[in-house]
Amino acid sequence: MTVHPPVTGHCDELRDALRGFRASAPVTARWGERLADVLTAGGRLLAAGNGGSAAQAQHLTAELVGRYRDDRPAFSAIALHADTSSTTAIANDYGVDAVFARQVRAHGRPGDVLMLLSTSGASANLLSAADAARETGLRVWALTGPAPNPLMAGSDESLCVEAPTAATVQELHLVAVHMICAAFDAALETGRWRDGHGGLGRAAGGR
């Protein structure tokens, strides 16, 4: 492993990790296209993470409810950690490990997608959420740090970032978020989901 100097070395570390991460483009493209399929049919994306990963998950949902680049209809995407009243009530009544799982059971429907972000891939509340999602019929995608890790094993699909620090993993998770959004918008642009999957009009109007 290359040892970089502090401060400016962080840029070098990111550059080195990005070279390998570029090979993940087919995964982000597939996820963006699948999200277009699900969301234009009236489905929903649920997303969650802890700490910095919570911010990345909320970034993704904001891009879908708002927009990434060009104007388009709004789509249903919920960052589970952003509801502070629910998360604190659930943590108080059921324990921290249940804060996302209970919301998955409340908001998720069969065919929806749950995106979980974690630098360690070992957060107990995310693992519980993945279990709840599979029981409810959601598809589980994980953005994690280096493989192998428990969250990768508990998900339907995973994208594991090989980087030496959590900070660099999180930075590449943001790159992945933007790649997914670019693929999502490109899929909408092709129009292949306009017919036979509920149409953009249904997605704009909710479930």
Side-chain angles (χ1 to χ4, degrees), residues 28-29 31-40 63-64 68 72-75 178-190 193 200:
T28 57
W31 286 1
E33 291 170 0
R34 176 59 181 161
L35 272 182
D37 194 358
V38 171
L39 299 189
T40 59
E63 301 282 30
L64 294 171
Y68 175 54
R72 54 156 168 72
F75 293 94
H178 285 159
M179 292 168 74
I180 292 167
C181 290
F184 178 85
D185 283 2
L188 295 183
E189 186 66 23
T190 66
W193 281 274
L200 292 177

Side-chain angles (χ1 to χ4, degrees), residues 96-122:
V96 174
D97 290 357
V99 293
F100 300 137
R102 192 164 180 86
Q103 292 184 78
V104 167
R105 292 190 173 96
H107 300 303
R109 301 293 183 270
D112 287 350
V113 174
L114 174 66
M115 174 82 80
L116 301 173
L117 293 85
S118 172
T119 58
S120 68

Side-chain angles (χ1 to χ4, degrees), residues 1 34 85 95 117 150 162 174 196 206:
M1 180 182 70
R34 176 59 181 161
S85 294
L117 293 85
E162 296 297 327
L174 179 56

Side-chain angles (χ1 to χ4, degrees), residues 2-181:
T2 303
V3 178
H4 295 292
V7 187
T8 57
H10 182 80
C11 294
D12 298 330
E13 180 182 294
L14 177 59
R15 177 199 60 208
D16 293 346
L18 185 59
R19 286 197 187 103
F21 182 76
R22 197 174 189 279
S24 302
V27 177
T28 57
R30 184 171 66 250
W31 286 1
E33 291 170 0
R34 176 59 181 161
L35 272 182
D37 194 358
V38 171
L39 299 189
T40 59
R44 175 176 290 159
L45 171 71
L46 306 179
N50 295 295
S53 296
Q56 305 287 32
Q58 194 166 341
H59 190 124
L60 173 59
T61 58
E63 301 282 30
L64 294 171
V65 175
R67 68 176 185 181
Y68 175 54
R69 289 180 179 166
D70 299 325
D71 194 25
R72 54 156 168 72
F75 293 94
S76 183
I78 300 174
L80 300 179
H81 54 274
D83 185 346
T84 55
S85 294
S86 289
T87 55
T88 53
I90 295 167
N92 186 62
D93 293 341
Y94 299 97
V96 174
D97 290 357
V99 293
F100 300 137
R102 192 164 180 86
Q103 292 184 78
V104 167
R105 292 190 173 96
H107 300 303
R109 301 293 183 270
D112 287 350
V113 174
L114 174 66
M115 174 82 80
L116 301 173
L117 293 85
S118 172
T119 58
S120 68
S123 300
N125 55 11
L126 298 182
L127 294 171
S128 296
D131 290 342
R134 290 196 309 274
E135 292 168 4
T136 309
L138 282 72
R139 190 158 189 82
V140 182
W141 297 341
L143 269 175
T144 76
N149 60 72
L151 188 56
M152 174 191 74
S155 301
D156 296 297
E157 294 187 67
S158 60
L159 199 170
C160 302
V161 174
E162 296 297 327
T165 65
T168 301
V169 169
Q170 286 179 342
E171 288 159 352
L172 290 178
H173 282 180
L174 179 56
V175 174
V177 163
H178 285 159
M179 292 168 74
I180 292 167
C181 290

